[in-house]
Amino acid sequence: MFLCYHCQSETPLSQAIRAEIGGKQELFCCNGCLSVSQIIHNSQKEAFYRLRGSSSLAPISSELHYKEASINSEFTYKKFVSYTDSELAEVDIAITNIHCAACIWLLEKVVSEKEGVHSMRVSFANSKAHVVWDDSRTKLYEIITSIESIGYHPVLSSPLGEELQMNKASKDLFQRMIVAGFCFGNIMLFSAALYAGFFSGIESNFRKMLHYLSWALATPAYLYAGLPFLRGAYYALKHKVWNMDILLVFGVSLAYFYSVYVTVYDIGEVYFDSVCMIYFFVLLGKYLEMQARKKVGEQIAILLAELPETVVRLKGGTREEVLAQDVEVGDILLISPGERIPVDAELLSSTAFVDEAFLTGEARPIVKKEQNELLAGSIALQSLIKIKAKTTAYDSTLAVLKKLIENAILEKPRIQILTDRLTSYFVYLVFAVAVLTFAFWLWYGSPFVDSLVITISVLIVACPCALGLSVPIALVMHHSILAKGGILVRRSQSLEFLAKPDTIVFDKTGTLTQGNFKVSKENVSSQKIKQLVSIVESNSTHPIARSLLAHLQE
């Protein structure tokens, strides 16, 4: 076994591809990694490997997913591209396989240096790139191919619709979390002085000043950062439903107003730091959950992102380019080799080779005959084919699959229904324990203030936020991780069943193995014959042709 020079994935030495990079002989796991490494070195971006360190990448796929005519069409520009005040074009691109900061550095360097590109910024938090360029000097397709050329998978991201709403909600949650964290951090500085003064003594004026400063910082955290919980508690009480928000708000409010009382009358200790800390960590949990859901949403979007934006339709003996979403049942379409089929259709040509791995995981091409059904998302290979649309883009197999996955994310498995039910009972239980605690300490002879402080501690410590958030976050992350591996879950209950078996039997040979043809033995020694084979197969998209070319390139 050896580690690939580019992606550092472990590969059998017998499959090694050897090449000279930077004056040294290096080993690669595939031609994709070799090509990308050559591009990186030729463009003098070798610093990528130093910045990456020991991080491993995914092996590179050398197949391009986009067609130039589709990407540069007016339909694509209208849907994905916007313009700045200075008439520069801008687009958001989701990059699905960013692994580390070195990936971001390489992407920004390569794309920014293209002619006409004004700026390229990549966010590691959401793997989104924002590109601004002069469309008169370079086109969107050239930007997309430059990203693909260095081994990354770009997916055009629409600035409209659900994604915009989710980004807005995520930004709002993040801002509230930052306010709570900022206030919490600064109040802790004052608290350190107050804790030290509690044991070693502190002047009354200094203690008052620190109390008032803490109050000033805790108030925006209580009102702004805590607004979602205050609102949730209000509506819960209005509808006579007890939930986590009531418990959280009640405990935090007692701590806040008790601390205000202590500050004004200069008695006891304040707990403003606890107010900010609790809101900060609960908001952090909710923010992480939202980011996880966002990731799953992006994985679902990728299902449809590789479909062509436009397609050639035959109408009255003439060809016309139309939006894929405007295709109607019964339309006759022409699909070029290497192009994805936009809708479920019936084959009108005599035969066709199609790649359905995108949907079924079947790695080998399927031979289709006239009147056979073709699935949306599959790739036409080898030759131009004529098809008849049987569905619209909204009713295709792929669109139905997308809806099933979305429903699976929303569906609650039994374990989540159980935790939700436990949470509701737990709220009643905690309130009962808090009341009994307060009554006990008063009866025991403790001062009212001490009894109240102990009660606040019970309410805050026992808040079941972790219980309520843990299962949804775990499920969302599970969907996300499985989607990245090409596994799409139709029912959330499946995840519970999958925890029980100790043996799984598969019958999908091409799914679990590489699924590509590979030359295992060669009897040809003539270089001329090899060159002729290479020329003959160079324009073919057939899997055997591609395997021969890959072997000859080695």
Side-chain angles (χ1 to χ4, degrees):
M1 303 295 283
F2 73 98
L3 294 181
C4 174
Y5 174 75
H6 177 73
C7 70
Q8 297 197 346
S9 61
E10 198 173 41
T11 309
L13 195 60
S14 59
Q15 296 179 15
I17 296 172
R18 293 169 172 82
E20 188 175 296
I21 299 290
K24 295 181 181 178
Q25 278 289 120
E26 304 291 355
L27 301 178
F28 296 87
C29 67
C30 62
N31 283 303
C33 286
L34 170 58
S35 301
V36 170
S37 186
Q38 288 172 335
I39 291 169
I40 291 172
H41 280 271
N42 292 340
S43 58
Q44 299 181 331
K45 301 290 185 298
E46 299 93 336
F48 166 75
Y49 295 106
R50 294 196 300 275
L51 291 169
R52 185 196 60 185
S54 59
S55 299
S56 60
L57 314 177
I60 302 303
S61 168
S62 56
E63 294 181 6
L64 297 178
H65 297 102
Y66 294 106
K67 296 290 181 183
E68 183 174 2
S70 180
I71 290 296
N72 287 340
S73 70
E74 60 174 303
F75 304 113
T76 302
Y77 269 66
K78 187 175 180 181
K79 183 176 179 181
F80 296 105
V81 178
S82 56
Y83 291 88
T84 64
D85 295 337
S86 54
E87 295 302 313
L88 293 173
E90 57 182 358
V91 71
D92 288 323
I93 302 172
I95 300 172
T96 62
N97 57 331
I98 287 177
H99 302 85
C100 58
C103 295
I104 292 174
W105 177 86
L106 181 63
L107 282 161
E108 290 183 343
K109 284 284 185 184
V110 170
V111 179
S112 296
E113 290 176 6
K114 282 193 68 66
E115 182 185 359
V117 175
H118 282 241
S119 68
M120 159 77 160
R121 294 288 177 268
V122 183
S123 168
F124 187 68
N126 59 9
S127 298
K128 285 279 182 69
H130 183 76
V131 189
V132 180
W133 79 99
D134 184 346
D135 200 57
S136 63
R137 296 170 63 193
T138 192
K139 290 293 182 182
L140 178 58
Y141 180 73
E142 294 170 30
I143 294 169
I144 292 291
T145 51
S146 67
I147 294 172
E148 287 188 315
S149 70
I150 51 174
Y152 296 94
H153 307 314
V155 176
L156 289 172
S157 179
S158 175
L160 304 173
E162 295 177 10
E163 184 185 358
L164 189 63
Q165 294 175 0
M166 183 166 274
N167 285 339
K168 187 177 178 182
S170 178
K171 185 179 178 182
D172 178 71
L173 202 58
F174 182 74
Q175 287 173 343
R176 294 181 193 277
M177 183 181 71
I178 290 297
V179 168
F182 173 81
C183 296
F184 168 51
N186 282 279
I187 291 174
M188 282 303 295
L189 296 174
F190 304 145
S191 298
L194 289 168
Y195 293 149
F198 180 81
F199 295 104
S200 58
I202 186 172
E203 288 187 19
S204 176
N205 289 336
F206 281 120
R207 188 179 68 250
K208 280 184 181 179
M209 180 186 72
L210 292 174
H211 282 182
Y212 274 98
L213 286 171
S214 299
W215 183 11
L217 280 168
T219 300
Y222 177 73
L223 295 175
Y224 176 71
L227 184 61
F229 309 110
L230 292 167
R231 192 185 292 125
Y234 167 74
Y235 284 110
L237 288 171
K238 186 178 179 180
H239 294 97
K240 298 178 182 178
V241 177
W242 289 68
N243 62 7
M244 287 192 300
D245 287 340
I246 293 176
L247 195 59
L248 178 66
V249 167
F250 191 72
V252 170
S253 297
L254 278 177
Y256 176 79
F257 288 110
Y258 169 73
S259 299
V260 170
Y261 171 78
V262 167
T263 301
V264 172
Y265 292 98
D266 193 24
I267 51 169
E269 302 299 324
V270 295
Y271 297 92
F272 289 122
D273 53 345
S274 299
V275 171
C276 302
M277 178 194 68
I278 291 161
Y279 275 152
F280 172 73
F281 281 111
V282 175
L283 285 167
L284 176 62
K286 286 187 174 291
Y287 178 74
L288 292 174
E289 181 189 10
M290 181 167 283
Q291 290 301 106
R293 288 187 182 277
K294 192 175 173 185
K295 284 284 184 186
V296 175
E298 288 171 359
Q299 290 296 326
I300 294 171
I302 290 165
L303 277 175
L304 302 178
E306 293 181 1
L307 290 178
E309 289 294 323
T310 60
V311 66
V312 176
R313 180 169 64 186
L314 285 177
K315 196 168 186 179
T318 59
R319 299 185 181 192
E320 60 178 0
E321 190 175 32
V322 296
L323 278 172
Q325 65 192 42
D326 291 339
V327 171
E328 297 178 357
V329 176
D331 283 352
I332 307 300
L333 310 175
L334 290 178
I335 308 297
S336 301
E339 192 172 57
R340 290 195 183 274
I341 297 166
V343 295
D344 292 353
E346 177 188 331
L347 180 64
L348 298 181
S349 301
S350 56
T351 58
F353 279 90
V354 294
D355 180 356
E356 294 184 348
F358 183 66
L359 280 172
T360 64
E362 190 64 54
R364 294 187 180 183
I366 310 293
V367 180
K368 298 284 185 177
K369 295 185 178 180
E370 191 173 354
Q371 295 185 338
N372 281 174
E373 184 182 15
L374 301 172
L375 300 177
S378 52
I379 304 172
L381 303 171
Q382 201 172 18
S383 60
L384 181 76
I385 61 171
K386 187 189 291 186
I387 63 173
K388 181 180 180 181
K390 292 181 67 177
T391 67
T392 65
Y394 304 102
D395 301 322
S396 68
T397 302
L398 200 58
V400 171
L401 182 61
K402 176 179 179 286
K403 290 173 188 173
L404 288 172
I405 298 164
E406 287 173 339
N407 291 337
I409 294 169
L410 296 173
E411 187 182 66
K412 290 185 178 182
R414 284 178 299 177
I415 190 171
Q416 188 172 350
I417 295 169
L418 179 63
T419 53
D420 287 349
R421 193 177 299 154
L422 285 173
T423 300
S424 62
Y425 289 128
F426 195 67
V427 171
Y428 292 115
L429 179 64
V430 170
F431 265 107
V433 171
V435 171
L436 288 172
T437 301
F438 182 71
F440 171 79
W441 284 100
L442 274 181
W443 175 79
Y444 194 70
S446 294
F448 175 84
V449 170
D450 291 349
S451 302
L452 184 62
V453 169
I454 294 168
T455 305
I456 291 169
S457 301
V458 170
L459 285 169
I460 290 173
V461 169
C463 181
C465 295
L467 181 65
L469 288 173
S470 58
V471 175
I473 291 177
L475 286 170
V476 169
M477 288 305 297
H478 209 115
H479 281 292
S480 177
I481 292 166
L482 288 174
K484 286 178 183 176
I487 300 168
L488 306 175
V489 179
R490 193 171 75 86
R491 298 189 67 197
S492 291
Q493 282 88 339
S494 307
L495 302 178
E496 292 182 72
F497 300 139
L498 281 173
K500 297 172 184 176
D502 56 6
T503 305
I504 301 176
V505 179
F506 294 92
D507 69 343
K508 301 286 282 183
T509 306
T511 307
L512 300 180
T513 57
Q514 284 187 327
N516 298 318
F517 290 105
K518 190 174 179 69
V519 176
S520 59
K521 189 177 181 182
E522 181 183 326
N523 295 320
V524 179
S525 57
S526 169
Q527 194 65 28
K528 186 176 180 180
I529 292 177
K530 291 180 181 180
Q531 288 174 349
L532 288 171
V533 171
S534 181
I535 291 166
V536 169
E537 302 288 23
S538 61
N539 292 320
S540 175
T541 56
H542 193 281
I544 293 178
R546 285 188 292 183
S547 68
L548 286 171
L549 284 171
H551 175 72
L552 292 171
Q553 285 169 5
E554 292 173 24

